[in-house]
Amino acid sequence: MVSYDPNAPPREKAPPSDVPMWRRILGSLPLWLVIGTILGCVLGTVAPQFSKDAAPTQNVFLRPIQFVVLPLVFSSLVVGIAGQPDLKKLGKLAIKTFVYFEAVTTLALVIGLLSVNLFKPGGDGFSVAKDPGVKSADTLTYSLWVNHLTPKTWGEMMGGSGSSELLQVLVASVLFGCATAMVPSDEHRNTILAMCKAVMEVMFKFVDIIIWAAPVSVMFSIAAVVGKAGGLGVLASLGKLVAVLYGTILFFIVVVFGAIFLIIRVNPIEFLIAMKEPLIIAYTTATSEACLPQVFEALEAYGVNPRITSFVVPFGYSFNLDGSTLYLSLAAIFCAQATGVSKTVGEQIIMVLMLMISSKGVAGVRSASIIVLAATLTQFDIPQWPITLILGVDWFMDMARTFCNVLGNCLAAVTMAKWEGEFRNNQIEDQIEDKEIGEVAEITIQEK
């Protein structure tokens, strides 16, 4: 989970980079993803048969991503649970914050599911590109759900049967994290936490390495789909997916966040102006962590007590990911629609809930959403090849979901401060003190 010390001195700005501009441009992953998308379209149009035969090349990225799932999700959830401060000491604030996070995130989930089922971004351009060998997943029954819920062995949980058991990983991670938090020995508990943090760091570096195979995977995946479809209609569906995501996030901000502004009686325009710096950084960098110091500074300047921000904001960086929840719900059902796999409403809800839970603790990690998305699709017998299509436009969608995540966490901090009576207390006291000083000065002048 993200941590921040409000009493720490401000960080010095990094010195200007000596790396030449051309090297920074060539080292930009989004640039190569765009190039991969363009080359894939060209290759699929010029050599459709070769593109279909070379389709397995997309696995150079997808298969290593599956390898990361267990250690990354397991270690991040254990650290997020066992590394939490004593929530009992935080009292009502912890309970209110958790309930607020879950309520708003659930609304994001519902709105995302309604939007993707209403507009069906994956249901048009892939109609002739669907794999005829794809079979729909088994009907989700209670016995099947229970069997997949509880981990029997480590090998089964790691996918020894050939499929990823993400649900078992989640259950085992939560139980292991709670057990670690209950260990009476600080030495033993800290040892487990240090080990899990070390595993997380290694997996982050692992992802940083394999992510550079993504442009190649994107190129051959799009080439195969264009070759099967006989044209570039696939791009229309990708554009529709981006438009649906931006439209849904805008609707969510206006309706849900707008309602919260009315409830807590805060001027949204004033709030957005005060938060403009962290929000601009979040959108342009597509990374929540990049604007974390600015979030604390902006909230404190806006009148939120640092005691509130020091708990709510780091907690929200792991558990209040409204934009990511919307994105994951759209992306998961998009993949099902693109591959012709039909899912019931209940299966869709369970699938997105798994995505939401498994993404906790890995906010800000590059391609973390892709990792948990790939594992969840396998769990529900949905082919993974649409993920590489999404990667072609993911950098643009990532900007929107990061903006929504940061905006939601800033609003959550203001909401908790209002409910706890910790909003603009110092500013009000300063105004009263200034008024009293003015009155004393006026009386003194009159006496003279």
Side-chain angles (χ1 to χ4, degrees):
M1 190 181 74
V2 178
S3 60
Y4 180 81
D5 182 8
N7 298 318
R11 298 188 302 179
E12 296 182 359
K13 293 185 178 180
S17 176
D18 295 330
V19 180
M21 178 63 71
W22 65 269
R23 290 189 60 182
R24 278 185 281 175
I25 294 175
L26 293 179
S28 171
L29 180 62
L31 171 65
W32 288 109
L33 289 173
V34 172
I35 293 175
T37 302
I38 296 173
L39 292 178
C41 294
V42 174
L43 184 62
T45 303
V46 175
Q49 186 58 45
F50 171 79
S51 299
K52 289 184 281 186
D53 295 338
T57 310
Q58 63 186 317
N59 291 326
V60 298
F61 173 72
L62 291 176
R63 290 179 65 86
I65 280 293
Q66 293 176 336
F67 171 81
V68 179
V69 172
L70 173 63
L72 181 57
V73 173
F74 185 88
S75 59
S76 63
L77 283 179
V78 170
V79 171
I81 295 172
Q84 290 285 340
D86 188 358
L87 297 183
K88 293 181 180 179
K89 294 181 180 179
L90 295 171
K92 295 186 297 181
L93 176 61
I95 298 175
K96 288 180 181 179
T97 303
F98 183 78
V99 171
Y100 173 89
F101 285 169
E102 294 309 309
V104 177
T105 307
T106 301
L107 287 175
L109 184 155
V110 172
I111 291 175
L113 283 180
L114 290 175
S115 177
V116 72
N117 282 281
L118 177 63
F119 296 104
K120 294 185 177 5
D124 298 328
F126 301 95
S127 57
V128 291
K130 293 171 184 174
D131 186 353
V134 172
K135 296 181 180 179
S136 180
D138 296 333
T139 302
L140 187 65
T141 62
Y142 177 74
S143 60
L144 183 64
W145 181 74
V146 171
N147 290 336
H148 283 273
L149 175 67
T150 52
K152 182 180 179 181
T153 64
W154 282 92
E156 182 183 67
M157 184 175 65
M158 289 188 291
S161 59
S163 61
S164 176
E165 295 291 346
L166 181 61
L167 186 57
Q168 294 185 11
V169 175
L170 297 179
V171 173
S173 303
V174 172
L175 293 176
F176 195 90
C178 293
T180 303
M182 296 169 63
V183 171
S185 172
D186 290 341
E187 180 183 358
H188 294 165
R189 183 171 60 254
N190 291 335
T191 300
I192 295 295
L193 286 174
M195 181 181 67
C196 289
K197 289 178 180 178
V199 172
M200 285 177 60
E201 290 296 326
V202 173
M203 289 300 103
F204 293 164
K205 296 301 180 183
F206 186 92
V207 172
D208 284 342
I209 295 173
I210 63 174
I211 193 64
W212 287 101
V216 177
S217 184
V218 167
M219 182 180 71
F220 282 97
S221 178
I222 290 182
V225 174
V226 171
K228 290 178 182 179
L232 299 176
V234 61
L235 297 182
S237 289
L238 290 177
K240 187 175 181 181
L241 175 63
V242 174
V244 169
L245 175 70
Y246 270 78
T248 305
I249 286 181
L250 180 61
F251 176 84
F252 177 80
I253 291 175
V254 172
V255 175
V256 177
F257 288 170
I260 295 174
F261 280 121
L262 290 176
I263 293 173
I264 64 176
R265 297 181 180 180
V266 169
N267 187 330
I269 304 300
E270 179 188 1
F271 172 83
L272 291 173
I273 292 175
M275 300 295 128
K276 64 179 180 180
E277 182 178 358
L279 290 176
I280 290 174
I281 295 175
Y283 185 79
T284 54
T285 63
T287 305
S288 300
E289 273 70 11
C291 63
L292 183 60
Q294 287 79 9
V295 167
F296 279 93
E297 293 171 2
L299 286 172
E300 185 174 356
Y302 190 59
V304 179
N305 192 308
R307 183 183 73 86
I308 301 294
T309 57
S310 62
F311 171 73
V312 175
V313 173
F315 197 34
Y317 262 55
S318 290
F319 293 93
N320 187 39
L321 306 174
D322 305 322
S324 295
T325 302
L326 272 171
Y327 167 79
L328 288 172
S329 61
L330 286 171
I333 307 304
F334 170 85
C335 292
Q337 293 172 352
T339 54
V341 177
S342 178
K343 291 295 176 184
T344 64
V345 175
E347 288 174 322
Q348 290 185 27
I349 293 175
I350 293 175
M351 179 167 37
V352 179
L353 282 173
M354 286 179 59
L355 286 165
M356 185 174 66
I357 296 172
S358 58
S359 63
K360 305 298 187 186
V362 291
V365 181
R366 182 159 58 177
S367 298
S369 298
I370 297 297
I371 294 171
V372 296
L373 179 61
T376 305
L377 293 182
T378 304
Q379 181 76 50
F380 285 84
D381 294 340
I382 300 174
Q384 296 181 351
W385 60 261
I387 293 179
T388 53
L389 301 181
I390 295 175
L391 277 173
V393 292
D394 182 70
W395 60 275
F396 191 51
M397 294 190 291
D398 195 11
M399 297 164 71
R401 65 177 182 256
T402 303
F403 178 89
C404 186
N405 288 341
V406 174
L407 177 61
N409 284 320
C410 292
L411 180 57
V414 175
T415 302
M416 292 303 113
K418 290 278 288 187
W419 288 350
E420 290 291 309
E422 299 287 350
F423 183 65
R424 293 183 173 174
N425 288 347
N426 293 335
Q427 294 180 12
I428 294 175
E429 291 174 0
D430 291 343
Q431 292 175 3
I432 293 175
E433 184 178 353
D434 292 341
K435 183 177 180 181
E436 290 177 349
I437 292 175
E439 291 176 350
V440 170
E442 184 178 354
I443 292 172
T444 304
I445 291 174
Q446 291 178 354
E447 289 178 351
K448 290 183 178 180

